[in-house]
Amino acid sequence: MSHHEQDRAGTRLPEGVPPIRPRWLPRVPPVHGQGPWRARGNKLLCAVAFLGMGASLWAFWLTYTDVRDRAASEERIAEACAGIVDAEAVMDLRGGVVRAKPGSGENDEIQLDALPESCRIYWVPGPGKTDYLFSLVVRTSADDVPMNLVGDESWLEPFGRRGDLASRPDDVTRHADHAEPRPLGDGTLGRYSDDSVTVRADCASGKPASLQVTARADYDEVSDEDRGILAELARGSAVQAAARLKCDSQLEQIPERLTTPARELRAPKSAKASCAWYGRHLGGSRRGRLPDRMLEAPTGDKSATETCLLAVSPAGVREIAQHLGGSEREYADSALTHSPWWMRTASFFGAEAESVAMADIDDHEYLKPGTAGGGEGPGVWWASSVCDGRPAIHALTVSYTYDSVVLDRLPALFRAYVNDITERRGCTDVKFPAPSAFKADSR
């Protein structure tokens, strides 16, 4: 066969007639000249094409493994949390994570027939690496463990738990570790802080009388978006837990916007909400050794919990220290570094008032509705009342290096607090601790 081409049928073409180009074959411009540069260019194009195909396949594989691992993580989360939590929403925390796993401890998985229980979920950022992500805690009023604790035990202290106090020695009471709890709406549904949301359900009949579910982010700097996710997780889990425990309850919806809670303490004269009573109290008396800082939260007409945190600034400590001696002077020195001076008022209403206890390492002492007392053991004093026909407990906690320094001012301060909140909430049958509870020999 000559150098002339054949057409698609194999027929020899006449002299001077070019071969027929199939329509599917792309038109290639003529190349003028040959040489190594053309060969190298072709090789480079081929290499780029293969690399592009490889990168696409690798990206597809990574996407596939991410989807697979996320789905497996969601299954493990649902199992550890007794199937009452939205595992997909948990994976959306912290900006969205791909891999997570439950803790391996005995208290890291929920068993609804043995409450209180909690499940803890860890983020897995890489092979062999874990970091804190999320916890869900379920409690009921029928549990042996109290729903609410007061006292100055280390896990209840408002300063230092977020980080070492030595890292901020100049002003240890400027910022609290956590914001004081704020009501969800009018407080009927529950409360929230900077890193947690607690939803409560009152059961219409039977036991338990109430159910409490807390969704908590176990990492710092929780965003507003994450706080919204926590709120939906807490409510959704409460609905599921109530159904499983046969607690007949109707829960309100989460408010559209949860205002970012503050952790910076301010001057008492600026108080307008849960610490407003303290500003008024100082307005009628000389401050002396009382706190010069406060951290408050909005009040809710139907909140089951309301608190006010008070603390002494470094300048206040130094001023008070000038008039102290002996061990109290040593207390003032430590208040500037590792044992800040603080106090907190807290009130609990309804079913939550029936599950309040003073924290202790060995045991917990319940504060019974209809009683009043304090002064022995932990720095806690309490009063009681009846609000809307239901019990209420009103407590004052003072840090252990501060209570002796300020003891003589506590009776008037505590009475001012209890009078304010019981009048505001329309409570009756108020019972106060006996004067002897505030004597030094009762400590």
Side-chain angles (χ1 to χ4, degrees):
M1 187 164 61
S2 70
H3 64 280
H4 294 290
E5 303 290 343
Q6 291 180 324
D7 64 6
R8 285 173 296 180
T11 306
R12 188 184 303 279
L13 298 174
E15 282 293 335
V17 177
I20 299 174
R21 179 177 61 83
R23 295 180 179 179
W24 54 268
L25 187 67
R27 186 181 298 277
V28 180
V31 178
H32 301 286
Q34 304 290 335
W37 290 109
R38 181 188 178 199
R40 291 174 184 173
N42 288 341
K43 291 178 180 179
L44 178 61
L45 290 174
C46 290
V48 170
F50 279 115
L51 285 175
M53 292 174 61
S56 297
L57 289 173
W58 179 245
F60 172 79
W61 173 251
L62 289 178
T63 301
Y64 167 75
T65 56
D66 286 352
V67 171
R68 179 197 62 191
D69 291 351
R70 178 171 172 127
S73 297
E74 291 175 4
E75 290 181 4
R76 289 194 291 268
I77 292 171
E79 182 178 358
C81 299
I84 64 173
V85 72
D86 183 347
E88 184 177 354
V90 172
M91 299 290 288
D92 289 336
L93 290 169
R94 212 168 183 173
V97 300
V98 174
R99 297 166 187 85
K101 68 175 186 178
S104 56
E106 62 179 357
N107 297 321
D108 290 335
E109 292 189 4
I110 291 177
Q111 303 293 332
L112 288 179
D113 58 352
L115 295 175
E117 288 281 355
S118 63
C119 59
R120 171 165 284 186
I121 307 302
Y122 293 86
W123 172 39
V124 183
K129 299 179 179 179
T130 59
D131 202 354
Y132 295 112
L133 181 63
F134 169 79
S135 294
L136 188 77
V137 181
V138 182
R139 295 189 177 101
T140 74
S141 57
D143 300 336
D144 293 333
V145 178
M147 297 172 68
N148 302 291
L149 290 172
V150 294
D152 61 354
E153 291 294 341
S154 59
W155 65 89
L156 297 174
E157 292 180 0
F159 304 101
R161 287 183 298 155
R162 186 179 286 269
D164 187 359
L165 286 175
S167 65
R168 43 190 174 99
D170 295 335
D171 198 343
V172 296
T173 60
R174 170 52 63 190
H175 293 88
D177 289 345
H178 298 286
E180 293 300 286
R182 293 172 167 239
L184 287 169
D186 65 0
T188 302
L189 184 60
R191 58 187 181 271
Y192 72 100
S193 182
D194 52 324
D195 63 353
S196 66
V197 178
T198 296
V199 168
R200 55 186 303 276
D202 286 331
C203 308
S205 60
K207 289 188 176 182
S210 65
L211 171 72
Q212 180 176 287
V213 176
T214 299
R216 183 180 67 240
D218 293 329
Y219 50 90
D220 294 338
E221 307 304 327
V222 178
S223 67
D224 288 347
E225 180 181 0
D226 281 1
R227 199 172 297 109
I229 294 174
L230 291 174
E232 295 297 339
L233 283 167
R235 184 187 182 279
S237 297
V239 169
Q240 294 294 326
R244 298 267 290 275
L245 295 172
K246 295 180 172 54
C247 168
D248 184 12
S249 179
Q250 298 295 322
L251 298 182
E252 296 182 357
Q253 295 299 317
I254 298 293
E256 291 185 4
R257 182 170 178 267
L258 302 182
T259 305
T260 304
R263 293 193 295 112
E264 181 178 0
L265 277 72
R266 304 172 62 189
K269 64 181 181 181
S270 66
K272 298 179 180 178
S274 64
C275 291
W277 67 271
Y278 185 63
R280 291 191 292 270
H281 178 65
L282 289 186
S285 63
R286 188 172 58 87
R287 183 176 66 81
R289 300 178 181 182
L290 291 177
D292 58 348
R293 284 178 170 171
M294 66 86 197
L295 180 60
E296 63 177 351
T299 59
D301 293 339
K302 298 183 179 180
S303 293
T305 303
E306 184 176 305
T307 66
C308 168
L309 174 64
L310 306 172
V312 185
S313 68
V317 171
R318 294 187 182 97
E319 180 183 351
I320 296 171
Q322 298 176 17
H323 309 286
L324 301 178
S327 61
E328 290 184 348
R329 184 59 182 263
E330 295 178 2
Y331 291 161
D333 293 338
S334 65
L336 295 172
T337 55
H338 58 277
S339 296
W341 283 349
W342 60 272
M343 61 177 66
R344 176 186 275 123
T345 58
S347 286
F348 307 94
F349 302 89
E352 296 209 17
E354 299 176 359
S355 186
V356 182
M358 289 190 292
D360 188 79
I361 295 177
D362 299 322
D363 198 4
H364 302 308
E365 180 182 345
Y366 281 85
L367 309 184
K368 297 180 180 180
T371 69
E376 297 181 2
V380 176
W381 291 261
W382 78 95
S384 65
S385 66
V386 177
C387 308
D388 292 329
R390 307 188 70 185
I393 291 288
H394 316 283
L396 168 67
T397 299
V398 185
S399 59
Y400 77 97
T401 62
Y402 185 37
D403 55 7
S404 62
V405 173
V406 75
L407 186 61
D408 63 324
R409 299 295 299 273
L410 295 184
L413 178 140
F414 190 45
R415 183 169 287 272
Y417 165 67
V418 175
N419 283 340
D420 178 87
I421 196 166
T422 53
E423 290 175 8
R424 182 157 46 87
R425 299 284 291 246
C427 306
T428 60
D429 299 328
V430 183
K431 289 184 173 60
F432 288 95
S436 59
F438 296 95
K439 299 296 183 181
D441 56 6
S442 69
R443 302 291 297 142

